[in-house]
Every structure is written in structure tokens, then in C-alpha cells.
């Protein structure tokens, strides 16, 4: 089993930056990719960024060019650097992990709130 614990959310003005962190605890070797989902009230859940063990990244169109996902395998941590934040980025952000051989992200953190004021 793997436990994911997020930190770094908060309140920021539009145009500002935040960095989210995700600590992975447990059977880390079972994870081949990590990512960040977000859920805003009244909106569909969105997978905004992913990164594989090999470092390949993907981004949703809504955050491309503004967000950067990274990971520190030695420290079992993942990060999401968010720049040029917009009010529409306001959401609960969840760190997620994908098990080897699976297509979906089955490990979820508890979520951290990000609020961007205009």
C-alpha cells in the first residue's frame, strides 16, 4: 500500500505562485507514475499533470506553460510548481499515484485547497 500526503496549498492573489508537495509513504516501488488531479465546485475533476518514473510529463491544456510537475525519487516526493495563477485554478488539488501495470491512478492523497483571489 502507498499513502500520499499533500502540503503547500493556500490563498494567493491572481498572478502569484504556489508549490504543492506530495510525500509518498509505503511501497513506493509499486508506483510507476504520479500526478495531480484537481476538483473545483461544480466542475469535473481534471488531471492537470503527470510524471512517470522516467521523467516523462504531461499537462492539461488549461495549465500548460504555467505549471511544472517534478519528482525527487530519492526523497519519495512529488511537486507541482504553479505560476501565473488564475482564479479558475481555485480547487482542491490531489496527489495521485499509479501502480505498475495499471492505467488508472488508484492512490490518492487527502487533498489540499488552493484558492486564487482576483
Amino acid at each position: 500500500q502507498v499513502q500520499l500526503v499533500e502540503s503547500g496549498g493556500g490563498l494567493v492573489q491572481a498572478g502569484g505562485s504556489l508549490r504543492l508537495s506530495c510525500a509518498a509513504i509505503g511501497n513506493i516501488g509499486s508506483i510507476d507514475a504520479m500526478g495531480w488531479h484537481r476538483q473545483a465546485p461544480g466542475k469535473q475533476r481534471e488531471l492537470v499533470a503527470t510524471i512517470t518514473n522516467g521523467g516523462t510529463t504531461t499537462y492539461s491544456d488549461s495549465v500548460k506553460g504555467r505549471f511544472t510537475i517534478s519528482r525527487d525519487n530519492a526523497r519519495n516526493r512529488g511537486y507541482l510548481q504553479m505560476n501565473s495563477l488564475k482564479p479558475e485554478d481555485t480547487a482542491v488539488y490531489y496527489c495521485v499515484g499509479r501502480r505498475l501495470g495499471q492505467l488508472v491512478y488508484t492512490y490518492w492523497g487527502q487533498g489540499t485547497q488552493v484558492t486564487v483571489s482576483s
Side-chain angles (χ1 to χ4, degrees), residues 29-76:
S30 67
I31 295 178
D32 80 329
M34 295 180 70
W36 293 88
H37 266 286
R38 68 183 181 186
Q39 177 79 65
K43 294 186 179 180
Q44 281 192 325
R45 182 186 299 163
E46 180 183 17
L47 181 59
V48 297
T50 67
I51 185 168
T52 67
N53 282 353
T56 300
T57 59
T58 65
Y59 297 94
S60 66
D61 288 342
S62 61
V63 306
K64 199 172 294 182
R66 300 187 298 121
F67 290 11
T68 302
I69 189 171
S70 61
R71 61 192 293 176
D72 183 341
N73 292 329
R75 297 189 175 190
N76 296 330

Side-chain angles (χ1 to χ4, degrees), residues 18-36:
L18 279 176
R19 189 175 84 150
L20 304 182
S21 297
C22 175
I25 303 167
N27 186 14
I28 308 305
S30 67
I31 295 178
D32 80 329
M34 295 180 70
W36 293 88

Side-chain angles (χ1 to χ4, degrees), residues 11-15 85-88 90 115-118:
L11 173 65
V12 65
Q13 287 189 330
L85 283 162
K86 305 175 181 180
E88 51 264 44
T90 296
T115 302
V116 184
S117 63
S118 57

